Amino acid sequence: MPPLALHTLLSYLAASVLLCFYGQEVCPFIDGLPIRSCLAIFAACFSGLFLVRHFVYQNLRPVESVGRARQHLHVELGLWIAAGVAITVLDMVLYNFPVSSGLKVLVGAGTIGLFAASHQALCIEEMEIKKLSNQPEPIQKATGEFLSISTRFMIFLIAAMTLLSLVVALVMFKDITGLMDMEQTHRGKMGGELALELGFVLAVVVTGCVLVAKKLGENLRLVHEVQVEALHAVLEGNYHRFVPVIRNDEQGMIGLHTNQMILGLQEKAHLKSVFGKLLSPTIAKEILEGAEGTSLGGREVDAVVLFTDLRNFTGLAESTDPAGVVTFLNAYFGMLVEVVYKYDGVVDKFIGDAAMAVFGLEGNSNAADRALQAAIEIHAGLHEVNQSLKEQGLPELAHGIGVHLGPLIAGNIGSENRMEYTVIGDAVNTASRLEGMTKSLQQPILLSKAVAEALSKPMQEQIHSEGVHSLKG
């Protein structure tokens, strides 16, 4: 049996005993029944109620998680009232009791039912909070009218105190009537019994209030903990943890705004991720975080430009279908990007089968060393790509790499409606011309004198001079 159903069954058994005692204290007709008959009537009605409850929930229209607790409260409270009505009808049929007798039982059933239904609804709410705490999608709208936590609690207290007053009034009315008809010598004993009865009623009501208030407090604490965990996840960069919104109250509003904030951060992270793929992560970060990120213009910087272009690519394109060409280029450029990022460079652009990278935009030292190391690894990476081409029966490719150090303008070029972050300047043209000269000098990598002089001693030992040459243009 599910825990909630077992909880309900136990509450029905307890109610049979409590209502039997209560009925005999407030109603002279019920008081005239043997205790066994009285218990049998209450037990029969609540047993039938348990079966009806199962049928109701089997055929109940399902609602969203945010409305399950409210639906459960209404159904359970309605079932408790139905139990009071059933007992009234049974007493009228079997024992010819008046309606007033049944109304007294109805008050008692409603009192216990208020506590039992409220506590069970809060248990449902607790399960929904735990269920929704790891939800993949956020709830962005609270259902129902806004009702503050304090208002909800006040409604419950007013209902509980009203029913308590009715129960106390009914107990006192019967006992006081009996006191008035009793002889003086027996009134003291009757007064003591009245005090015990009132104490019993107060104990039941106070216990019910404490249990409901305790469960409400636990749920409030649970929602608070989930909200703190979600914010802590955001602090660690996890934008996929959302806050459950169960009720349309203060905590629900906090949850909604927290979820909207997380969605905003998620969108910004996605935008940054896309920028990091369409642009270099370094440039993407500068655009997103810089005040001039979307303004035309740029800044002057001394940086190293690496320009590379494939040889014999036209022949490969003619002998391979377009999809195969794209696959090859993605493999080659994927290797190139990985190497450039490894040495803290920026891939500026791809131009057909050519690519341009820049080192030193961030102002770090040893940009020349990093650019040369990247060029050497890109050249070694082409050998692995050629092995794959050879296995497919395709011609091998060669490439040239030109590297130059000089002043550049780095920034947004274009118009207010369409712009591109890039670098321009004579250093770019020189690197491109050096790459073109790799054909005539039959060297895969050529550096300008400016780069050679900027290299560290160990790196300078890996190069040699090709003499003085005029660049095209």
Side-chain angles (χ1 to χ4, degrees):
M1 183 180 294
L4 203 59
L6 180 60
H7 180 277
T8 303
L9 181 60
L10 292 175
S11 66
Y12 285 175
L13 291 174
S16 299
V17 176
L18 293 174
L19 287 176
C20 183
F21 176 80
Y22 157 78
Q24 291 192 334
E25 295 304 319
V26 301
C27 179
F29 296 97
I30 297 177
D31 193 18
L33 283 179
I35 189 69
R36 289 183 180 180
S37 300
C38 187
L39 275 174
I41 292 173
F42 285 108
C45 288
F46 279 106
S47 297
L49 180 64
F50 189 74
L51 298 176
V52 171
R53 178 184 184 275
H54 178 73
F55 176 79
V56 169
Y57 279 106
Q58 285 289 327
N59 296 275
L60 200 62
R61 182 176 63 86
V63 297
E64 297 179 0
S65 294
V66 292
R68 281 194 63 201
R70 188 188 309 113
Q71 183 192 55
H72 197 89
L73 174 63
H74 295 162
V75 171
E76 289 294 327
L77 197 53
L79 289 171
W80 279 92
I81 293 173
V85 173
I87 294 169
T88 301
V89 172
L90 197 59
D91 284 343
M92 292 174 65
V93 171
L94 294 178
Y95 304 107
N96 200 28
F97 285 180
V99 176
S100 59
S101 173
L103 291 177
K104 295 173 182 178
V105 174
L106 187 60
V107 170
T111 303
I112 299 177
L114 175 67
F115 299 126
S118 298
H119 191 272
Q120 287 192 14
L122 290 171
C123 289
I124 292 288
E125 185 179 84
E126 179 186 19
M127 290 189 293
E128 293 302 320
I129 293 171
K130 293 178 179 178
K131 175 183 172 183
L132 295 175
S133 60
N134 293 313
Q135 58 186 339
E137 296 295 331
I139 295 174
Q140 301 185 58
K141 183 179 180 181
T143 58
E145 295 184 6
F146 180 86
L147 201 61
S148 68
I149 297 172
S150 59
T151 302
R152 290 174 188 271
F153 199 62
M154 284 300 298
I155 291 174
F156 170 78
L157 283 181
I158 290 172
M161 293 304 104
T162 300
L163 290 170
L164 170 63
S165 301
L166 284 173
V167 171
V168 170
L170 290 171
V171 171
M172 291 183 67
F173 177 77
K174 176 176 178 289
D175 286 343
I176 290 175
T177 302
L179 281 172
M180 293 175 63
D181 297 335
M182 191 174 293
E183 296 180 5
Q184 184 70 31
T185 54
H186 298 291
R187 287 183 180 180
K189 182 180 178 182
M190 189 67 180
E193 292 177 355
L194 174 60
L196 288 174
E197 291 167 4
L198 292 177
F200 171 77
V201 170
L202 287 173
V204 171
V205 174
V206 169
T207 301
C209 287
V210 169
L211 289 175
V212 172
K214 182 175 180 293
K215 178 55 67 175
L216 176 61
E218 290 173 354
N219 286 3
L220 292 175
R221 187 186 74 248
L222 181 60
V223 172
H224 175 72
E225 290 174 353
V226 171
Q227 289 174 342
V228 171
E229 288 174 4
L231 293 174
H232 185 69
V234 169
L235 190 63
E236 294 181 343
N238 177 10
Y239 305 134
H240 299 280
R241 178 74 180 272
F242 297 101
V243 176
V245 179
I246 304 298
R247 299 184 302 264
N248 190 4
D249 55 15
E250 293 90 344
Q251 284 197 322
M253 291 297 101
I254 293 173
L256 289 175
H257 290 303
T258 302
N259 289 341
Q260 290 171 2
M261 178 197 71
I262 294 173
L263 285 174
L265 293 172
Q266 193 180 84
E267 183 178 355
K268 184 177 179 180
H270 175 69
L271 182 63
K272 190 173 182 179
S273 174
V274 172
F275 264 36
K277 293 175 182 178
L278 297 177
L279 302 171
S280 164
T282 304
I283 295 176
K285 183 178 180 181
E286 184 175 331
I287 291 176
L288 290 172
E289 297 181 357
E292 68 285 351
T294 57
S295 303
L296 291 173
R299 57 188 175 87
E300 185 172 347
V301 60
D302 284 334
V304 180
V305 179
L306 182 153
F307 202 95
T308 177
D309 192 13
L310 290 171
R311 309 277 184 257
N312 307 324
F313 185 73
T314 303
L316 176 66
E318 290 175 350
S319 60
T320 310
D321 63 278
V325 173
V326 171
T327 301
F328 164 76
L329 281 178
N330 287 341
Y332 174 70
F333 285 144
M335 175 272 297
L336 182 146
V337 169
E338 186 176 341
V339 172
V340 171
Y341 286 176
K342 176 181 176 181
Y343 292 103
D344 297 327
V346 170
V347 177
D348 182 271
K349 62 172 64 73
F350 300 109
I351 312 165
D353 58 339
M356 185 176 81
V358 187
F359 297 82
L361 280 179
E362 69 285 353
N364 292 345
S365 58
N366 68 1
D369 281 16
R370 290 186 281 117
L372 179 55
Q373 287 172 324
I376 293 171
E377 289 197 20
I378 290 171
H379 181 61
L382 179 63
H383 176 71
E384 296 180 6
V385 174
N386 278 331
Q387 287 294 108
S388 176
L389 290 176
K390 186 177 180 180
E391 292 173 1
Q392 300 175 49
L394 298 173
E396 296 184 15
L397 298 174
H399 66 176
I401 301 175
V403 186
H404 179 59
L405 168 63
L408 299 167
I409 297 295
N412 296 319
I413 309 299
S415 71
E416 291 291 344
N417 296 323
R418 176 68 173 89
M419 62 184 68
E420 178 183 2
Y421 191 99
T422 187
V423 293
I424 58 173
D426 187 59
V428 176
N429 300 328
T430 301
S432 177
R433 300 307 184 201
L434 284 169
E435 182 279 321
M437 190 177 286
T438 58
K439 281 185 181 180
S440 58
L441 294 181
Q442 297 183 351
Q443 294 288 350
I445 302 172
L446 286 180
L447 318 176
S448 66
K449 181 181 179 182
V451 175
E453 291 177 346
L455 291 172
S456 63
K457 281 289 185 181
M459 295 301 292
Q460 285 180 348
E461 294 174 358
Q462 299 185 45
I463 64 173
H464 66 272
S465 174
E466 288 286 333
V468 179
H469 298 269
S470 297
L471 296 177
K472 181 180 178 181

